[in-house]
Amino acid sequence: MNLVTGATGFLGAAVVRALLADGRPVRALVRRSSDRRNLAGLDIELSEGDLTEPASLRAAARGCEAVFHVAADYRLWVRDEKPMYRTNVEGSVNMVDAAAEAGAERLVYTSSVATLGINPDRTPADETTPVGLDDMIGSYKRSKFLAEEAVRRRSAELGFPVVTVNPSTPIGPGDVRPTPTGRIILDTAAGRMPAYVDTGLNLVHVDDVARGHLQALAAGRSGERYILGGEDMTLQQILAVVAAKVGRRPSNVRLPHWVVYSIALAAEGVAAVTGVEPRVSLDGVRMSRKHMFFSSRKAESELGYRWRDPELAIGEAIDWFKSHGYL
């Protein structure tokens, strides 16, 4: 049995599908309040629980040979950061403890490229690019950075094998929420992105990242981390591909970061009153000042990881949004 946390989410559901396609039985850890549309019709076992409730994790991990800890609180704006730290840091350590106690063979921990260093000259960074906590922008990145360190320490203390994977920016079908990047694709396809800022992302098909998780389980070295990415693209290039897919003209208006910063400042002022997550956040604008370009060479060499043209993922994401009424 293979346990997948965060199975109702965008990436977690893709990992579930990859396991099923490989003929492996799946148990999914789900919260009572989770939107389970991504798991509809799948032949899997459900176990209700929460990362902050260790007893529920022990019950979910019982009898599992492998654990894929994909779950995380992924938001670029929060009114209160404490729950995010409890979920991402304490919850991840709780999951490692539960997997070890259950006698699992190993755990694949889903971190993020958000925890890695970025080269100022825009050349692709890798797993060894220097970085520290002070380089982390916002609660999400700080919590994931601390979580990765905490998981690594706990793995060493217990002598329990953990392999860490660092996905870049997954896109594709099944983005129910949608994620911040999925929202960019959706807004562009709907004609709601009249301008862009000078930034860059590493795009990858969500299903390629999911297969990378299985490869990390099979061939990853305990204590090591592996970037699961795809192609480096500027935001302007991404918007042009989306526009071409839907038959729209791409935007050629580039906004200075200070203009978008002002918009985000106003948006967060409204969010502070309403509690509704703003579409543009200050942390998001601060992150956009950097080109988040990465190399997956280590995963390709050691795991056999491969990624496809992200234009395919963009097309499938748009098709999924259309067929599910988002457009």
Side-chain angles (χ1 to χ4, degrees):
M1 182 64 71
N2 298 267
L3 175 65
V4 180
T5 73
T8 60
F10 179 43
L11 178 54
V15 173
V16 170
R17 294 193 301 268
L19 286 165
L20 293 176
D22 203 44
R24 306 187 193 190
V26 175
R27 179 182 298 156
L29 178 71
V30 297
R31 291 177 297 165
R32 295 175 186 87
S33 60
S34 291
D35 181 343
R36 303 181 186 183
R37 282 178 290 171
N38 266 336
L39 302 180
L42 298 183
D43 184 17
I44 61 174
E45 181 182 325
L46 299 181
S47 181
E48 288 193 349
D50 191 281
L51 294 177
T52 61
E53 300 172 0
S56 71
L57 302 184
R58 290 193 293 271
R62 192 171 297 123
C64 291
E65 298 174 359
V67 175
F68 295 86
H69 178 38
V70 188
D73 186 343
Y74 177 27
R75 292 176 290 166
L76 298 184
W77 178 88
V78 288
R79 237 177 179 176
D80 178 8
E81 65 181 14
K82 294 184 184 67
M84 178 175 281
Y85 282 87
R86 281 196 295 270
T87 296
N88 291 348
V89 183
E90 296 172 26
S92 295
V93 173
N94 290 341
M95 193 67 253
V96 172
D97 288 344
E101 184 178 321
E105 294 177 7
R106 58 171 36 192
L107 180 146
V108 176
Y109 169 62
T110 307
S111 183
S112 168
V113 292
T115 68
L116 304 178
I118 297 173
N119 291 323
D121 62 359
R122 300 185 181 182
T123 56
D126 62 20
E127 294 83 353
T128 65
T129 302
V131 69
L133 182 59
D134 290 342
D135 299 307
M136 299 293 106
I137 299 172
S139 299
Y140 172 70
K141 293 188 73 167
R142 285 195 296 270
S143 69
K144 290 295 287 185
F145 183 91
L146 293 172
E148 189 174 325
E149 288 193 332
V151 165
R152 191 179 297 113
R153 284 196 304 271
R154 197 61 170 161
S155 169
E157 291 168 359
L158 298 174
F160 176 65
V162 173
V163 179
T164 297
V165 292
N166 301 76
S168 59
T169 309
I171 52 174
D175 196 355
V176 171
R177 190 179 177 184
T179 60
T181 310
R183 192 179 300 151
I184 290 173
I185 293 172
L186 178 59
D187 286 346
T188 304
R192 296 192 295 263
M193 285 284 287
Y196 64 92
V197 294
D198 181 22
T199 190
L201 300 169
N202 181 282
L203 292 192
V204 61
H205 197 302
V206 67
D207 291 339
D208 294 343
V209 177
R211 282 192 291 272
H213 278 65
L214 273 63
Q215 292 167 323
L217 177 71
R221 290 181 287 147
S222 179
E224 293 290 324
R225 60 183 181 181
Y226 300 88
I227 295 172
L228 302 180
E231 183 174 340
D232 294 324
M233 301 177 70
T234 65
L235 181 56
Q236 184 182 19
Q237 290 173 326
I238 295 168
L239 301 188
V241 171
V242 176
K245 296 285 185 184
V246 297
R248 292 185 181 275
R249 291 181 61 184
S251 171
N252 59 1
V253 178
R254 189 175 81 178
L255 291 179
H257 284 88
W258 68 264
V259 172
V260 186
Y261 188 91
S262 300
I263 296 171
L265 192 63
E268 288 204 4
V270 174
V273 175
T274 63
V276 178
E277 184 177 357
R279 295 181 73 83
V280 183
S281 70
L282 292 173
D283 285 342
V285 176
R286 294 183 185 109
M287 291 178 197
S288 73
R289 290 182 176 276
K290 301 179 180 181
H291 282 61
M292 291 167 278
F293 291 164
F294 298 94
S295 168
S296 301
R297 191 173 294 113
K298 179 179 178 182
E300 293 166 7
S301 173
E302 295 191 18
L303 308 181
Y305 173 71
R306 296 292 182 269
W307 52 271
R308 295 166 290 170
D309 188 336
E311 284 198 27
L312 171 67
I314 291 173
E316 290 187 8
I318 293 170
D319 290 343
W320 188 89
F321 284 136
K322 285 181 178 177
S323 64
H324 288 77
Y326 287 73
L327 280 171

